[in-house]
Amino acid sequence: MIVASVPRTWFEEAVVVFFDVVRGTRAEAGQVLLPDGRALPGVRLVEGEHLAPGAVYEAEDEDGRRQDPERLRIVERRAGSDPAVRLEHVLGDEGTVTVVEGALQGIERPVAAQLRGSVRGLGRWGSLRRVHGEARVGLRAWWEAAAGRHVSGTPFEARLEHRLAEATVWAVPRPHGAGRWKVRLELSLRGRSFLRPVAAVALLLFRNRLREAFTDRVDRLAQVWNEIVLDTVSQDKSRLRERILDAAASPPEEPLL
């Protein structure tokens, strides 16, 4: 797919500004306040110390009323130059529990980023909704590949596992004229456990349809990416902090947590 590129210098500056904004937030009487004093809408600290392990946040509407049980808990957090965080999100008493772990190697000049997550359902059929996924991007290799240099392996890999099937996606960028990348994507699907032979037959029979569905999804992703990236990176870099603060202070269209 052909997508708008993200300049490396802009990305690295954005990472520094983002973490500076996060570190500058504070909590007062349960409200989460941004560095400029505005409140983060839709979120309230109900337990623990802000941004510390054990902190629990709940979602609320614009009138300050609690919504259906929706909580976010910080399980672990590591600050410093290689930040990492482990979060637990609970949606509803009979809904789902999502655990997300994110890590970034380097803030001033990021080298790699990794994201892991698992979703398990609550209630009688919860095990059928259990999914585990992880994604890793080697940022140094990504920039080198995007500049046209040879890299070993793939800079980006994501894997999603269910008890019945698993999927893996690889991505490699290449330069494609000024301000654009040509990203080559590869997808692998296969069944697990007793469904492995069934999945093999299904993939053989529906290969063309699956390819069309995957291509359609990729095209939509590229369209959304281009709309967001072109609008974001074209802005004056000196206003980057202001734009991040404005975006955080805007009421979310959906619950933030």
Side-chain angles (χ1 to χ4, degrees):
M1 64 178 177
I2 308 300
V3 297
S5 62
V6 178
R8 181 174 185 173
T9 55
W10 183 93
F11 173 81
E12 292 177 345
E13 182 175 344
V15 170
V16 173
V17 173
F18 173 78
F19 276 95
D20 182 62
V21 168
V22 172
R23 285 193 292 261
T25 62
R26 64 189 190 280
E28 293 183 3
Q31 276 194 317
V32 179
L33 303 178
L34 297 168
D36 61 3
R38 287 183 288 177
L40 188 67
V43 179
R44 190 170 186 82
L45 176 67
V46 296
E47 292 181 23
E49 181 182 348
H50 177 55
L51 294 182
V56 177
Y57 303 84
E58 286 190 353
E60 60 182 16
D61 60 23
E62 295 182 10
D63 297 325
R65 293 184 299 235
R66 302 288 171 83
Q67 300 177 357
D68 292 336
E70 187 172 0
R71 298 175 297 277
L72 181 70
R73 182 169 68 96
I74 299 179
V75 180
E76 297 177 18
R77 179 172 178 260
R78 184 181 72 220
S81 59
D82 295 334
V85 64
R86 186 168 184 250
L87 307 172
E88 180 184 72
H89 174 257
V90 180
L91 178 60
D93 294 331
E94 295 294 330
T96 58
V97 176
T98 304
V99 177
V100 178
E101 301 177 48
L104 180 68
Q105 186 179 348
I107 292 181
E108 298 291 338
R109 198 171 179 82
V111 175
Q114 187 169 6
L115 185 67
R116 294 179 179 176
S118 62
V119 179
R120 59 182 175 88
L122 300 174
R124 183 177 181 182
W125 304 104
S127 63
L128 291 177
R129 290 182 287 160
R130 185 171 298 172
V131 179
H132 171 78
E134 61 182 56
R136 187 184 191 281
V137 55
L139 292 167
R140 181 179 296 166
W142 182 276
W143 299 122
E144 291 180 354
R149 293 189 285 272
H150 173 75
V151 295
S152 58
T154 54
F156 175 85
E157 179 177 341
R159 179 173 299 170
L160 190 65
E161 296 180 356
H162 185 269
R163 60 186 296 184
L164 302 180
E166 67 178 44
T168 305
V169 176
W170 299 272
V172 179
R174 292 298 180 191
H176 192 77
R180 292 188 297 174
W181 291 332
K182 183 176 183 179
V183 181
R184 178 172 57 85
L185 295 172
E186 294 184 14
L187 171 66
S188 171
L189 292 171
R190 67 177 184 176
R192 303 183 70 189
S193 186
F194 62 89
L195 277 188
R196 182 171 296 177
V198 177
V201 174
L203 291 174
L204 182 63
L205 294 176
F206 299 103
R207 178 177 300 173
N208 291 336
R209 186 171 299 179
L210 289 171
R211 183 183 292 114
E212 291 175 1
F214 179 68
T215 301
D216 181 63
R217 287 288 184 179
V218 168
D219 290 342
R220 292 183 184 183
L221 174 63
Q223 181 179 357
V224 173
W225 171 279
N226 289 334
E227 291 174 356
I228 295 175
V229 169
L230 289 174
D231 176 64
T232 302
V233 303
S234 63
Q235 301 292 328
D236 184 356
K237 285 197 298 185
S238 64
R239 295 189 64 247
L240 183 57
R241 179 184 175 86
E242 179 184 345
R243 284 172 57 83
I244 292 176
L245 290 170
D246 288 343
S250 300
E253 296 181 0
E254 300 177 355
L256 183 61
L257 295 181

